[in-house]
Amino acid sequence: MSHNGSHIAAPTVAIAYHSGFGHTAVLADAVAAGARDAGADVTVIAVDRMTDEDWDVLDGADGIVFGCATYMGNVSAGFQAFAEKTGRRCQNGSWRDKVAAGFTNSGAKSGDKLNTLTSLAIFAAQHHMHWVNLGLGAGWNSTTGSEHDLNRLGSWLGATAQTDVDVSPEQVHPADVETCRHLGRRVTLVTRQLNLGRAASIPAASSAPAR
Ligand SMILES: Cc1cc2nc3c(=O)[nH]c(=O)nc-3n(C[C@H](O)[C@H](O)[C@H](O)COP(=O)(O)O)c2cc1C
């Protein structure tokens, strides 16, 4: 990896998601597409089918975007099982200072999915990761707004989607797909900025405690 000035390797971003029935998987692919658009090296990982190689990808990634469906008002059990498998890494600080972000999807318009995003952000904080918010104002919140607005559900902490419970994954809302694509681009931008900052030489004295 070359770390001199603006000439720096593409950031590596992994999308670690759980989807019971394929709807949230569509959103994971959208985050991945946005990250690729922005120049990241991207790997999409279904956390209920982790291989040893997948763990290596997560350990080596500059940034990880976590995503899952909201089940019973929180992260799905499939995601939580994965989260609990990271206990040793959490203790060792293996993912410290990586970039993190999150997305979720539910059947109800609210679905209490803020609780899921909060859980994902806390999970990232437990790993001492840097949480990146969505970076969009709320859509669909005025007389001129519509359900086709970016961030139509008006979330700040991460990307949220709502999928009617009786539709197929192909029918995930295009505005939610676009919002997730935005998140992928944003995470890549922040990751690149952080990588560039780390590559810049910082005088040792500047980090010394004041006496
Ligand atoms: C066990 C279970 C629990 C669910 N709990 C919620 C919930 O708390 N709030 C909600 O709005 N939708 C809930 N749903 C609906 C899902 O979030 C929704 O169908 C979503 O699109 C499923 O995504 P997936 O296909 O990626 O699993 C639940 C679905 C299941 C299967």
Side-chain angles (χ1 to χ4, degrees):
M1 219 195 270
S2 78
H3 282 295
N4 53 339
S6 61
H7 202 69
I8 193 160
T12 53
V13 173
I15 322 300
Y17 77 96
H18 176 254
S19 173
F21 305 93
H23 303 87
T24 311
V26 170
L27 299 164
D29 287 341
V31 175
R36 279 193 198 100
D37 277 357
D41 256 338
V42 181
T43 310
V44 180
I45 295 170
V47 298
D48 53 341
R49 299 192 294 270
M50 294 287 295
T51 63
D52 288 348
E53 200 180 305
D54 290 334
W55 285 109
D56 290 344
V57 169
L58 294 185
D59 291 343
D62 297 321
I64 307 176
V65 184
F66 300 112
C68 64
T70 291
Y71 287 172
M72 311 313 293
N74 212 326
V75 296
S76 59
F79 187 90
Q80 192 60 12
F82 155 74
E84 290 178 16
K85 284 185 200 145
T86 70
R88 178 66 61 189
R89 285 171 168 79
C90 193
Q91 228 169 5
N92 295 344
S94 310
W95 293 354
R96 169 179 283 278
D97 294 341
K98 291 181 188 300
V99 169
F103 61 97
T104 189
N105 169 44
S106 75
K109 300 292 188 267
S110 160
D112 286 341
K113 56 187 161 250
L114 171 60
N115 203 41
T116 305
L117 281 185
T118 306
S119 292
L120 294 176
I122 290 171
F123 171 58
Q126 288 181 322
H127 278 279
H128 312 296
M129 299 169 84
H130 298 302
W131 186 261
V132 175
N133 58 52
L134 182 59
L136 289 173
W140 202 12
N141 67 345
S142 71
T143 52
T144 56
S146 89
E147 66 169 300
H148 302 292
D149 290 348
L150 209 53
N151 193 22
R152 70 187 179 115
L153 300 175
S155 294
W156 283 267
L157 193 55
T160 51
Q162 180 270 329
T163 308
D164 291 340
V165 294
D166 55 353
V167 303
S168 67
E170 294 75 48
Q171 291 166 279
V172 169
H173 200 290
D176 295 341
V177 169
E178 205 44 56
T179 301
C180 283
R181 215 174 266 169
H182 166 88
L183 183 69
R185 286 194 298 268
R186 177 167 166 81
V187 164
T188 301
L189 174 67
V190 172
T191 305
R192 176 175 283 122
Q193 288 168 335
L194 200 56
N195 285 354
L196 279 166
R198 285 173 174 147
S201 68
I202 297 168
S206 67
S207 60
R211 287 177 195 277

